[in-house]
């Protein structure tokens, strides 16, 4: 975790990510009491597309998920991930955001070349089941936006250069979802609003 405590029983997944952002789980594991994980059987580029990249992610309740690209497969197999405590917002809120100190990797973020982009992250616990609607707008729109499900998989992703962008994802009552806005250009200020319908 960010405060140096081993993240025991965290879920770690390896995703094969294709050209259009689709992904397939290639392997998964849980960390032990020392925060260590291992996955001996991982295949490269085994997703539905003819080419793909491997994205490794870790998730645990109460923490933001962390993702890193596994670029030099099968080398460089020691990937460290860090889980930061959640920062909560509420459904129906509109927040003016500023890209901060966090770094994120996701399904796009400017290209599948190991880039981690400066980002802002919010956690929303759904008060009821339905469809989460996230709207992001900015004067200069150079952002990738995604929604991460409680299991560490992606529920929605958008990399368009228009403003506003609206993402929708099904949500379950009492479950916590992450909203991540990553800067892929010079844009830093944005507004995000949420609703559950």
């Amino acid at each position: 975790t960010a405060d140096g405590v081993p993240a025991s029983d965290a879920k770690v997944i390896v995703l094969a990510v294709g050209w259009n952002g689709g992904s397939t789980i290639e392997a998964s594991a849980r960390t032990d009491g020392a925060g260590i994980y291992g996955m001996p059987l991982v295949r490269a580029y085994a997703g539905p597309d003819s080419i793909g990249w491997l994205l490794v992610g870790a998730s645990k309740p109460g923490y933001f998920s962390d993702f890193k690209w596994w670029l030099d497969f099968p080398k460089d197999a020691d990937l460290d991930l860090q889980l930061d405590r959640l920062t909560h917002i509420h459904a129906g809120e509109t927040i003016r955001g500023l890209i901060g100190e966090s770094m994120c990797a996701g399904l796009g973020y400017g290209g599948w070349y190991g880039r981690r982009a400066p980002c802002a992250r919010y956690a929303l616990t759904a008060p009821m089941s339905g469809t989460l609607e996230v709207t992001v707008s900015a004067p200069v729109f150079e952002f990738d936006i995604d929604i991460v499900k409680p299991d560490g998989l992606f529920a929605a992703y958008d990399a368009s250069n228009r403003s506003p962008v609206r993402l929708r994802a099904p949500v379950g009552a009492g479950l916590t979802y992450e909203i991540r806005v990553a800067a892929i250009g010079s844009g830093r200020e944005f507004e995000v609003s949420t609703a559950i319908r």
Side-chain angles (χ1 to χ4, degrees):
T1 64
D3 52 7
V5 176
S8 62
D9 200 35
K11 179 182 179 183
V12 183
I13 55 173
V14 178
L15 297 174
V17 180
W19 282 113
N20 298 313
S23 61
T24 303
I25 298 175
E26 293 303 309
S28 66
R30 293 248 175 214
T31 58
D32 64 16
I36 296 171
Y37 68 95
M39 285 180 266
L41 301 175
V42 180
R43 297 176 297 159
Y45 314 143
D49 294 340
S50 59
I51 190 168
W53 294 263
L54 295 177
L55 183 64
V56 182
S59 62
K60 183 175 180 172
Y63 295 88
F64 284 113
S65 299
D66 189 29
F67 296 90
K68 282 187 180 176
W69 291 102
W70 187 358
L71 295 178
D72 193 6
F73 180 89
K75 300 177 184 175
D76 296 336
D78 293 332
L79 289 179
D80 294 332
L81 300 157
Q82 178 177 298
L83 302 180
D84 298 327
R85 290 252 177 222
L86 296 176
T87 301
H88 287 272
I89 62 173
H90 300 287
E93 272 192 276
T94 297
I95 295 170
R96 293 189 183 278
L98 185 67
I99 297 297
E101 298 177 1
S102 297
M103 297 294 288
C104 295
L107 296 180
Y109 292 15
W112 294 285
Y113 304 109
R115 295 179 60 182
R116 285 168 64 89
C119 67
R121 303 177 294 184
Y122 306 99
L124 185 147
T125 300
M128 62 183 185
S129 296
T131 299
L132 171 61
E133 187 174 283
V134 176
T135 304
V136 180
S137 58
V140 176
F141 204 91
E142 297 179 308
F143 302 103
D144 277 11
I145 303 130
D146 59 38
I147 299 172
V148 180
K149 298 188 291 186
D151 62 3
L153 296 174
F154 293 93
Y157 166 72
D158 197 302
S160 38
N161 57 5
R162 69 189 185 281
S163 180
V165 165
R166 185 167 290 120
L167 277 78
R168 294 179 179 89
V171 295
L175 300 179
T176 300
Y177 299 80
E178 300 174 34
I179 301 163
R180 308 188 317 159
V181 181
I184 57 170
S186 59
R188 291 295 180 267
E189 297 180 357
F190 61 90
E191 183 175 275
V192 59
S193 61
T194 61
I196 296 180
R197 304 186 193 286

